[in-house]
Amino acid sequence: MYAYDEIDRTLVNERVSEFRDQVKRRLSGELTEDEFKLLRLQNGVYLQLHAYMFRVAIPYGTLATSQLRALAHVARKYDRGYGHFTTRQNIQFNWIKLAELPDALADLAKVGIHAMQTSGNNMRNVTSDQWAGVAPGEIEDPRIWSELIRQHTTLHPEFSFLPRKFKIAITASDHDRAAIKIHDIGLRLVRNEKNETGFEVLVGGGLGRTPFIAKTIKHFVHGRDILSYIEAILRVYNQYGRRDNIYKARIKILVHELGIEKFSREVEEEWQHIRNSSLQIDDEVIEDIRSRFTYPAYEKLPHMPDELRQAAADPEFEAWRKSSVAPHKVQGYSIVTISLKPIGKPPGDATAEQMDALADLADKYSFGEIRVGHEQNLALPHVAKRDLPALWKALDKLGLATPNVNLITDIIACPGLDYCSLANARSIPIAQELSRRFANHELANLIGRLHINISGCINACGHHHVGHIGILGVEKNGEEVYQITIGGRADENAALGTLIGPGVKFDEVADVIEDVVEAYLALRERPDELFMDTVKRLGVEPFKERVYATR
Amino acid sequence: MTSPLEQKKIKIAGPSVVTANRTWDGIVVYRTAAKSWSADLSEAAIVRNSDEAKALLAESVADDVGAVGPYIAPVQVGDDGKVEPGNLREHIRRTGVTIGQPAQV
Ligand code: HEM
Ligand code: SF4
């Protein structure tokens, strides 16, 4: 867990009273909506179809149980009893009243939660691997560096008025769970030959209308130089952003237009001016942050406790364990993913009761800590293996033990036309129907790892471009139409999917996906050839044939 | 279903209303003939040509304290005078999400 310092707490509280005053002036008519809009966006408040939407940051996806209970409290007291976890380690509340928002913010501030930088053209919540600090084989806990960047960029004038919003993600593992290649800046912790810690820096990733996979701009930047290097990137970006309208967009466009070589030369030049400035990070600063991340007092436990051995006889437990339990860096412990994808329900939603109960379970079994991942699932990061059977039973009672992590029903979907004012088409009902079609666990298991991502418009909040199967809702003559891509991925081998053909209607989407899956099952060389590998080997043609032959 | 918030030129193809979200709580409201807002579509003022629409929108925009983001939305008026939303987006705004909310299930 991370302990906020006094400066943070004061800052958060000041922001709440400031916002309270702004809301008061808005409701009295002293502020017009035009004047107020920017202020509310800076506090995570959007206007959606049915109500205001309130977005709360969960920095690097780490939550204390007191914080999860506070989120449950907000869901219950100010909303309709649930919240929606998003792909950027945020939670959104869909039914908040503006008049009550300052109270909700104040309640969250008590536990150190805020909504700063969850919207607007600024530096957004720095995201990280949800397994940070517990995954085996990490170079170092990436949250230490996320926190450093968070502190440096929060409310920093140079980062608050960027040409567009700006997103950074950090990972410290070979397997990228933070999707760093679809961020404006992606950082991967690495060691150089001298065993010093630093970063491989990637730049220019992003989805939306013009999707790009980030490119490596520098293979090694020493840890102490990372702030000046990021600053150099931002300066080059800012400079072009002002000089020419065409670049007044995301950094991905700039990198694409300039080319990575020219862009990196410019960054390098800028960097040489500032790398030895006050931006160089003192060891003490990093030490101080490091010391604020505390880890549980792990016990010395056996690799295979009796409880686990006995439970292995129960096939339902085994199904869950295989899907949801991952190795931990400490022997005798596991990382447990909590699927927020129960069959037939909206992906990523959790009720206040589930959040409260999960907080209790985290206190009992995970040293009071919960993680939020970009796949819209949660995780308990420090579960003793001997507790797994008891935890599973408790989760099952809460409807939180669906054994589908990384399977076809572990769908990522944006809110779409059911909530979002920008949407062209619905996303959630498509996810629900697919989830029902593939509800059979044996079938889902037979299919194996397969990620479906759904967005309700080209803004791509559901990351459809990088779904193994991506579904994008568009509008045609007042009707919802869905374009289907295959072969995308969001991990260390990130790639954009390829369109398989003309769009299909709302009612046809699930049939088409079934066809794609059947084609895969028929075409794969071996049972363990994953969907994305079959697509890579054969291209989209055979899938296209199968889908459109009869349509 | 392009976001009507971006609607610039005012041209309507059939009966329309002005809709927005109420400022203090954000709920969906419709402009009434009595120059106020109602959560009930049946109380909405119906406009049938561009001039009427423009006037109703201007009046709605001026009432910025009452509601946020007013825009013109199509409706269908039945033979019995019953008013229904004119597209899926407005239908969802009126009747709520088309999916079960977890708190209700
Ligand atoms: C319902 C309210 C939402 C609104 C109004 C909204 C709006 C937007 C907009 C306008 C963009 C595009 C910005 C651009 O041009 O770069 C965007 C991007 C994005 N949104 Fe949302 N969004 C919403 C909900 C969500 C949710 C629920 C998630 C997570 C499931 C999400 C995740 C993202 C991500 C990851 C991107 C970045 C895509 C990229 O890499 O370019 N958003 N959002
Ligand atoms: S992708 Fe489009 S429809 Fe979906 S949440 Fe983002 S802006 Fe809304």
Side-chain angles (χ1 to χ4, degrees), chain A residues 429-444:
Chain A
I430 299 277
Q432 290 174 302
E433 178 59 19
L434 286 171
S435 164
R436 283 188 287 263
R437 294 274 179 117
F438 294 98
N440 181 313
H441 181 67
E442 273 81 57
L443 173 63

Side-chain angles (χ1 to χ4, degrees), chain A residues 53 55 86-87 164-165 167 207 250 415 459 461 463:
Chain A
M53 181 272 279
R55 181 180 289 168
T86 82
T87 52
R164 286 300 305 276
K165 62 182 173 184
K167 298 175 178 179
L207 302 176
R250 300 285 292 272
N459 283 319
C461 300
H463 294 181

Side-chain angles (χ1 to χ4, degrees), chain A residues 261-311:
Chain A
E261 288 79 24
K262 181 159 164 53
F263 184 81
S264 56
R265 271 201 308 280
E266 300 237 354
V267 170
E268 194 68 26
E269 195 182 325
E270 187 65 43
W271 185 43
Q272 294 311 330
H273 295 304
I274 55 174
R275 72 182 284 191
N276 296 320
S277 67
S278 60
L279 287 172
Q280 199 174 81
I281 308 153
D282 288 337
D283 286 345
E284 298 97 80
V285 173
I286 276 294
E287 259 334 297
D288 180 56
I289 293 177
R290 207 172 265 137
S291 70
R292 286 167 182 280
F293 280 96
T294 53
Y295 300 89
Y298 296 113
E299 290 172 70
K300 224 172 142 54
L301 296 174
H303 173 65
M304 182 46 100
D306 290 342
E307 290 86 345
L308 199 54
R309 208 182 306 260
Q310 281 155 18

Side-chain angles (χ1 to χ4, degrees), chain A residues 482-502:
Chain A
Y482 295 83
Q483 296 178 347
I484 291 158
T485 52
I486 60 173
R489 53 199 290 179
D491 58 6
E492 59 279 7
N493 299 312
L496 302 170
T498 310
L499 200 61
I500 61 165

Side-chain angles (χ1 to χ4, degrees), chain A residues 167-311:
Chain A
K167 298 175 178 179
I168 298 183
I170 307 185
T171 183
S173 287
D174 289 338
H175 181 61
D176 174 13
R177 279 172 296 266
I180 66 170
K181 288 194 173 174
I182 55 170
H183 283 74
D184 296 287
I185 293 181
L187 299 174
R188 197 163 70 81
L189 267 163
V190 288
R191 290 231 167 84
N192 65 5
E193 329 65 73
K194 289 188 228 147
N195 212 26
E196 293 167 321
T197 303
F199 295 91
E200 177 187 349
V201 180
L202 293 91
V203 69
L207 302 176
R209 190 172 298 277
T210 33
F212 284 107
I213 300 298
K215 299 183 181 69
T216 298
I217 177 173
K218 205 166 172 69
H219 289 283
F220 188 82
V221 174
H222 197 287
R224 68 171 171 262
D225 294 324
I226 194 63
L227 290 182
S228 61
Y229 197 79
I230 291 173
E231 178 112 4
I233 293 175
L234 282 161
R235 282 190 185 182
V236 171
Y237 172 45
N238 258 334
Q239 178 196 340
Y240 279 90
R242 282 182 203 134
R243 207 162 53 200
D244 189 334
N245 245 347
I246 194 173
Y247 295 126
K248 276 206 166 188
R250 300 285 292 272
I251 195 169
K252 63 190 177 187
I253 308 287
L254 178 62
V255 172
H256 179 70
E257 302 272 334
L258 282 184
I260 188 75
E261 288 79 24
K262 181 159 164 53
F263 184 81
S264 56
R265 271 201 308 280
E266 300 237 354
V267 170
E268 194 68 26
E269 195 182 325
E270 187 65 43
W271 185 43
Q272 294 311 330
H273 295 304
I274 55 174
R275 72 182 284 191
N276 296 320
S277 67
S278 60
L279 287 172
Q280 199 174 81
I281 308 153
D282 288 337
D283 286 345
E284 298 97 80
V285 173
I286 276 294
E287 259 334 297
D288 180 56
I289 293 177
R290 207 172 265 137
S291 70
R292 286 167 182 280
F293 280 96
T294 53
Y295 300 89
Y298 296 113
E299 290 172 70
K300 224 172 142 54
L301 296 174
H303 173 65
M304 182 46 100
D306 290 342
E307 290 86 345
L308 199 54
R309 208 182 306 260
Q310 281 155 18

Side-chain angles (χ1 to χ4, degrees), chain A residues 48 414-417 420-425 427 455-462:
Chain A
Q48 287 303 299
C414 82
L417 191 57
C420 178
S421 60
L422 302 171
N424 290 320
S427 308
S455 305
C457 82
I458 197 64
N459 283 319
C461 300

